[in-house]
Amino acid sequence: MSEIYIISGFLGSGKTTLINQLLKGNREKILIVENEVGIKPIDGEILRREDVEVENLLSGCICCTMAVDFQRVVEENQIFDKIIIEPSGVAQLSQVMKAFQGKHNLHSLTVVEAEEFLESLDFFGAFFQDQIENARTLILNIREERDYRSEQEKLRELNEFAKILVYNITKAGPSFQDIEVCQEAQRIVTENVPGELGMETKTIDNPEYESREQLQASIGETLSGARVFRVKGYAIIAGVLTKTDFAAGKWHYEEVIGQELGLVVIYQDF
């Protein structure tokens, strides 16, 4: 029977980067179930490599609208040594874990983006807490060299059982052995959370811009009045194919080759 690893975390927390860290030096047969609320498999393509298989579940969330498809995929693929599940950033971890009641090989981890943690907790409340309280391992993803004691103390206040690890996961990350197995008494701590966050997605096909500034301005004008949480994908910027990523209030760009054009924007309209 496959070991199950649920890698949870809010939009832009670093889930996909963490999975890439876990796969370093891999010698096992691994399936990644990649869930995205948009119609383009951006993260699934980032994770695709020779030693793993990727199953994309698009245009919905496996904690609700795609729960049946999700359970079918997991049940039909028990030949793998490990199944890594990356829910969408707006999934309720408690609802994803319901599919695994009674199983003894479940590992749950939530990635928390340190710089936006306290603000996100204020803004999303019970929804954000659900991802923290129901994890057996918490990764505080840091970006700066400073004291994160207050963030760690808040995580411990919200989850007294979890192992808390601190990493800059663009540089290093945990191993599979670091991710705790869920004990039955520690599963589904809370599930009384709002069913909908009101998140919407917009897909931009064939995006081409003269500059990074034009790209950012165009998205701002198109979604005027909305709060943009995440932008990810590939665009032509100043004639160059560029991996484009907006998360935790910061833009990141990287020149690439051979990727399909397209951007996905996740936002909340007020």
Side-chain angles (χ1 to χ4, degrees), residues 48-67:
R48 196 173 297 279
R49 49 198 281 173
E50 288 184 4
D51 58 343
V52 301
E53 292 188 30
V54 178
E55 180 84 26
N56 289 298
L57 296 175
L58 308 175
S59 301
C61 190
I62 60 175
C63 73
C64 47
T65 59
M66 301 194 75

Side-chain angles (χ1 to χ4, degrees), residues 45 56 75 97 111 122 139 148 164 172 177 188 209 236 243 252 256 267:
E45 292 306 307
N56 289 298
E75 289 168 4
M97 290 176 67
V111 185
D122 265 351
I139 300 289
Y148 288 92
I164 299 175
Q177 290 71 33
I188 317 299
Y209 306 93
I236 299 292
K243 180 185 175 184
H252 301 275
V256 294
Y267 64 98

Side-chain angles (χ1 to χ4, degrees), residues 9-17 43 89 111-113 116 141 143 169 229-230 232 245-249 266:
F10 198 63
L11 297 165
S13 61
K15 298 186 296 297
T16 305
T17 304
D43 292 336
V111 185
V112 177
E113 205 287 322
E116 299 285 316
N141 181 18
R143 301 194 182 192
I169 59 175
F229 291 95
R230 192 81 165 94
K232 57 184 177 180
D245 189 279
F246 174 77
I266 304 174

Side-chain angles (χ1 to χ4, degrees), residues 71-190:
Q71 292 182 44
R72 174 186 54 76
V73 167
V74 173
E75 289 168 4
E76 291 177 354
N77 285 283
Q78 290 295 308
I79 61 170
F80 289 88
D81 297 313
K82 289 181 171 63
I83 299 177
I84 299 174
I85 298 160
E86 182 181 355
S88 74
V90 293
Q92 296 173 20
L93 180 55
S94 61
Q95 301 308 303
V96 177
M97 290 176 67
K98 275 189 172 182
F100 302 101
Q101 290 292 296
K103 291 184 170 57
H104 300 282
N105 56 350
L106 175 66
H107 307 252
S108 65
L109 178 150
T110 292
V111 185
V112 177
E113 205 287 322
E115 310 308 325
E116 299 285 316
F117 167 45
L118 297 177
E119 180 183 349
S120 296
L121 191 60
D122 265 351
F123 194 81
F124 295 108
F127 182 93
F128 194 57
Q129 286 182 219
D130 181 85
Q131 294 185 347
I132 295 169
E133 292 175 347
N134 289 293
R136 190 65 181 87
T137 303
L138 295 167
I139 300 289
L140 187 64
N141 181 18
I142 65 172
R143 301 194 182 192
E144 302 174 2
E145 294 297 326
R146 66 170 179 85
D147 185 359
Y148 288 92
R149 192 175 308 164
S150 61
E151 287 84 357
Q152 293 180 68
E153 288 174 352
K154 188 63 180 180
L155 288 175
R156 176 58 67 213
E157 178 185 326
L158 293 171
N159 189 329
E160 62 178 306
F161 296 112
K163 175 193 287 187
I164 299 175
L165 303 172
V166 180
Y167 285 99
N168 179 336
I169 59 175
T170 61
K171 299 178 179 179
S175 66
F176 284 110
Q177 290 71 33
D178 292 321
I179 304 175
E180 295 286 303
V181 176
C182 294
Q183 304 300 322
E184 285 297 328
Q186 296 163 338
R187 295 191 188 184
I188 317 299
V189 178
T190 58

